[in-house]
Structures are given as C-alpha cells and as structure tokens.
Amino acid sequence: MDEVETGQNATPAVPERAGDILRNSREAQGLSVADIAARTRVPLRHLEAIEASDYTALPSSTYAVGFSRAYARAVGVDEVRVAQLVREDVAKLGRRTPEYEPYEMTDPSRVPSRGIAIVALGIAIAVLVLVGLWYGTDMFRGSGNSPTETPVAQTAPNPAAQTAQPVPAPATPANGQVTLTASDEVWMRVYDADNKTLYLGTMKPGEKFDVPKDAKDPMINIGRADKLAVTLNGAAAPALGTGERAIKDVRIGAPAIAARLAGTPEPQPATPTASTTPSAAGERSRASGSRTSRRPLTETQRANLDAAANPPPVATATPTP
C-alpha cells in the first residue's frame, strides 16, 4: 500500500536541457559568462541565449550546435551529448529560414599590436606635415633671398678696391741691412769699391756677418755661394750662386740685394773673366796671404782660395754644322 502511494505521489522527472547542463557546470567552477566568452571567442549574447535554451536568437541551427560544443569544451562537459540535446531542441522549433549574420573568429596572432598601430599613425602624421610644409612654405626650395647666397654677394672681389690697396714696397735700399749667414763652413771675402777688405776668413755654420751700411758698393768673393744665405732687413734674397763654381766681384749692397728681391738683379760678373791673368791672381793671393800670415790657412781656406783664384773654364756649346 505504501509503495503504491509513493509511486502515485512521485513527481515525474523533467528532461534536462543543454543550457541547464552548461550553466550548472559553469557555476560549479565559479566562472562567469564573460569568462566563457573569453575562452571560446563566442559573443556573450549567444552564450546567454544557449543557457536560456533560446536558440531563436542564434543565426541558425549550425551556429547553435557549434557554439554549444565550444561551451561544453570550455567547462569540461561531454560535447557530444550537449550537441545532441541542442539538435533535439532546435528540431522542436521547426524549420526556419536562417538569418545570415557574419561572424569572424578573432585570431590574436593576425591582429597588429598596439605599438605597430601607433607607429603607423605617427608616420602618417609626419608625412602629412612634410607635405604641408613643402607646398605651404619655401623651406625646402631655393629662393632668391636664400641666406647662403648673401655672404657670396658681400664677399665678392672688388677690382677697384684691390687696385686702390697700397702694395708694400720692398726694403729701402738706402738704409737696408744686408746680413750674410753661413749654413756650413765657408770661406769668403767681403770688400768695397776701393778694394778695402771688410771681412776675410772662414765662417762657421750659423755664423752671421752684417755688411756695413756705409760701405761703398760692397762686393763678395766666395767659393761656395750655395752655403751662404743673404737677407735684407730679414727678407731672404735668392742665393748668390749654385755653388758649382766660385764667384767674385758680386755686389751685395742694399740696392743690389733689393733688386734681387724684386726679381731684377743688377748686371754684375758672376765668375772671373778669362782676361784675368795668373800673375794678377797670384798677386791677389799673395796679398791675401800677407794679411793672414799671422795664422796658418786651413785646408778649407786653401780650397776656397784656389777655387776663387782659378775657376774652371766655362764650357761653351759648339754649334752643329
């Protein structure tokens, strides 16, 4: 009797729906619908429709089954059973025309990062600014009043101004100081127009001799003219000779050295002429020897004296017949 009453009072079991299974499993895990949407990439409104078993809010039965299976995988429920329950519920709704609703599963790997988007936006803005500057101003285009052209116009040479500028004149011959400086051991004799000896001897390297300003047309006799530097008031004059042969009777007064500096040396004998007789040369040698008899001559002095007294003959070119 009791068994019969128990059977009569028992409430018939209600079939469990797919939405209830998914919702109970989600709540048991402490998850929200937003968490499931983040896992499955399914729109939130579709997940809520599945939990409410309202499949009319979904585009089609295919979407309903696919979204339900994804939901089941996210919460660890048998997706095959859930898919079967969804198909049965959709079949009860009858056949309806599917509504097209485009849906694209977002792939994070294909979406450009925020940094790339910011850089691209910055480049686009920079290009627009440069284009505006190019067409709005003449910053990048040459113009007639360019600042780089102004200095050229200001610094252009003026022939009239250059002509008017005074040219510094060479050292005044009247009061110029002629200085002879030996670069090596060299013998020389400096004398005036009256054959008065102003200097006679061998100069050491670096030794200097200032030709007296009041000397009357001073001249020099030297064997190695290339070893002697001549200056007028500190200005270097061309060498008196190449040193290949001795020179004599070469004027070294201030006017003569000034003419050399100006490039117009005065005409003067550079070497002894052929008319000089051996007797005359011997007399000069004896006269020089008498003046220096108090100290013996060195080998260098003798060589310079011999080179000055007996220069080699000047070779002349024979014309070709």
Side-chain angles (χ1 to χ4, degrees):
M1 187 67 180
D2 295 336
E3 293 179 0
V4 174
E5 292 179 357
T6 303
Q8 292 178 351
N9 295 331
T11 304
V14 178
E16 193 174 13
R17 300 182 303 177
D20 297 334
I21 297 174
L22 296 175
R23 181 177 61 257
N24 294 336
S25 179
R26 173 179 62 77
E27 292 176 351
Q29 299 179 23
L31 299 175
S32 64
V33 180
D35 295 333
I36 304 302
R39 292 184 181 183
T40 60
R41 304 289 182 179
V42 177
L44 185 64
R45 67 180 185 278
H46 291 168
L47 296 177
E48 293 175 348
I50 291 173
E51 287 188 354
S53 298
D54 183 10
Y55 302 109
T56 58
L58 298 176
S60 65
S61 60
T62 304
Y63 279 94
V65 174
F67 291 162
S68 299
R69 294 173 67 95
Y71 195 159
R73 286 194 299 270
V75 295
V77 176
D78 186 3
E79 59 180 292
V80 177
R81 180 188 174 197
V82 170
Q84 181 63 32
L85 294 175
V86 171
R87 290 191 185 95
E88 293 176 356
D89 291 340
V90 171
K92 295 177 181 177
L93 297 176
R95 185 177 182 83
R96 66 186 181 91
T97 305
E99 299 177 0
Y100 174 76
E101 182 178 348
Y103 176 77
E104 181 179 358
M105 300 292 290
T106 304
D107 187 357
S109 62
R110 295 184 180 182
V111 178
S113 63
R114 184 177 182 182
I116 296 176
I118 294 175
V119 171
L121 180 60
I123 294 175
I125 294 174
V127 170
L128 293 177
V129 171
L130 291 177
V131 171
L133 291 176
W134 177 267
Y135 289 101
T137 66
D138 57 350
M139 179 182 297
F140 300 103
R141 291 175 290 181
S143 58
N145 56 355
S146 177
T148 57
E149 297 179 2
T150 303
V152 177
Q154 294 178 354
T155 59
N158 189 354
Q162 293 181 354
T163 305
Q165 293 179 356
V167 179
T172 306
N175 57 358
Q177 177 61 63
V178 178
T179 302
L180 308 177
T181 306
S183 60
D184 199 352
E185 186 173 340
V186 59
W187 177 91
M188 72 175 184
R189 176 176 178 252
V190 180
Y191 49 93
D192 59 9
D194 298 331
N195 203 23
K196 178 184 177 181
T197 300
L198 305 176
Y199 180 89
L200 177 64
T202 302
M203 295 183 68
K204 302 297 182 182
E207 188 176 351
K208 297 182 179 181
F209 172 72
D210 293 331
V211 179
K213 295 182 180 181
D214 56 352
K216 182 181 178 181
D217 194 13
M219 292 178 286
I220 191 171
N221 182 3
I222 187 171
R224 294 295 305 275
D226 59 324
K227 302 298 182 181
L228 187 69
V230 183
T231 59
L232 176 61
N233 292 340
L240 300 176
T242 61
E244 298 177 355
R245 61 196 320 172
I247 60 174
K248 64 179 300 185
D249 298 335
V250 177
R251 293 184 177 86
I252 57 172
I257 301 304
R260 284 180 174 272
L261 286 172
T264 56
E266 296 180 357
Q268 49 189 334
T271 58
T273 58
S275 61
T276 305
T277 59
S279 59
E283 290 176 359
R284 290 193 182 92
S285 299
R286 286 193 295 273
S288 300
S290 63
R291 294 189 183 92
T292 59
S293 59
R294 294 183 181 179
R295 74 180 170 180
L297 298 177
T298 63
E299 293 296 332
T300 303
Q301 291 174 338
R302 291 193 186 95
N304 285 320
L305 284 173
D306 293 341
N310 301 308
V314 180
T316 58
T318 305
T320 305

